[in-house]
Amino acid sequence: MSRKQLLIGLVAIAAIALAVIGYLTLFGSGSSSVPAGGEKAGVKVQADDMTMGNPNAPIMMLEYAAPTCPHCARFTTDIFPALKQKYIDTGKVYYVFRVFPLSSVDLAAEALARCMPKGNYFQFLELLFRNQDKWDPEYGVKDVHAALVTMGRIAGMAAPQVDACMSNQDALNRASKVGSDATASYGINGTPSFIVNGQLQVGESTLAAWQTLFDSKLPKK
């Protein structure tokens, strides 16, 4: 590697790190307490679910997404921030996120994300979504393992830690079971898919459509 290539690589990593810092500033930890075993709008919330918002909110939103899914990435980066600010942060929507793996790469990415401190889980997924072209094989990345190691390093993990996380069989089995349960319980077969107060929504849709849906389910004043 030439000195010029090294400098370009360091600049790219610095840019990614700054984007993560900006996201942390905007969204905070984003994880709320989970009423383990409780059921809301037909969804049984698990103790290991990643959540945001007030469990007593009038709207329950369950999202199934895959780290390698470009539609999921667009929803996360372009639509979700506004929904979070208007509905989740204000106590109107309780949000539950689960990975629906489309491939072994999604399993590895989810296992790695689960190694992060719980409060950093959503931020790491944001890092993956915003940088899919740097690690996702769908974008022609040849050495996915090395690319995910780089993503882990940006998040503060050493390469041996990343390897240990991605090869954790318990975590891989758990992620796979979440996917099979989604198909069995809700008929999920693609991403992103959402269950909103028992109603299945497929696809990223638009911000305006989401606002219309949420507003229709809020108590009338």
Side-chain angles (χ1 to χ4, degrees), residues 31-57 59-64 94-98 114 118 174 178 185-186 195:
S31 182
S32 66
S33 60
V34 178
E39 186 169 316
K40 185 177 180 65
V43 173
K44 188 172 183 180
V45 181
Q46 306 296 332
D48 56 0
D49 276 333
M50 295 298 178
T51 68
M52 294 184 189
N54 180 3
N56 297 316
I59 298 175
M60 165 71 161
M61 177 186 189
L62 168 61
E63 177 183 1
Y64 283 100
Y94 182 51
Y95 173 75
V96 178
F97 178 88
R98 295 173 184 169
R114 289 277 171 168
K118 190 170 183 177
R174 179 205 160 277
V178 168
S185 299
Y186 308 110
I195 309 293

Side-chain angles (χ1 to χ4, degrees), residues 115-194:
C115 270
M116 302 292 161
K118 190 170 183 177
N120 293 345
Y121 176 85
F122 284 115
Q123 286 84 358
F124 184 69
L125 281 182
E126 168 79 2
L127 174 69
L128 294 183
F129 279 135
R130 287 192 179 277
N131 295 279
Q132 280 181 336
D133 61 328
K134 296 178 177 61
W135 65 271
D136 187 343
E138 293 293 323
Y139 288 87
V141 176
K142 301 300 183 184
D143 193 342
V144 176
H145 172 265
L148 283 173
V149 168
T150 298
M151 293 295 105
R153 280 177 169 169
I154 292 170
M157 298 182 70
Q161 287 179 286
V162 175
D163 281 333
C165 291
M166 291 194 297
S167 61
N168 184 320
Q169 198 58 51
D170 287 342
L172 295 172
N173 289 342
R174 179 205 160 277
S176 180
K177 185 176 185 304
V178 168
S180 59
D181 287 348
T183 300
S185 299
Y186 308 110
I188 304 297
N189 55 27
T191 57
S193 292
F194 307 85

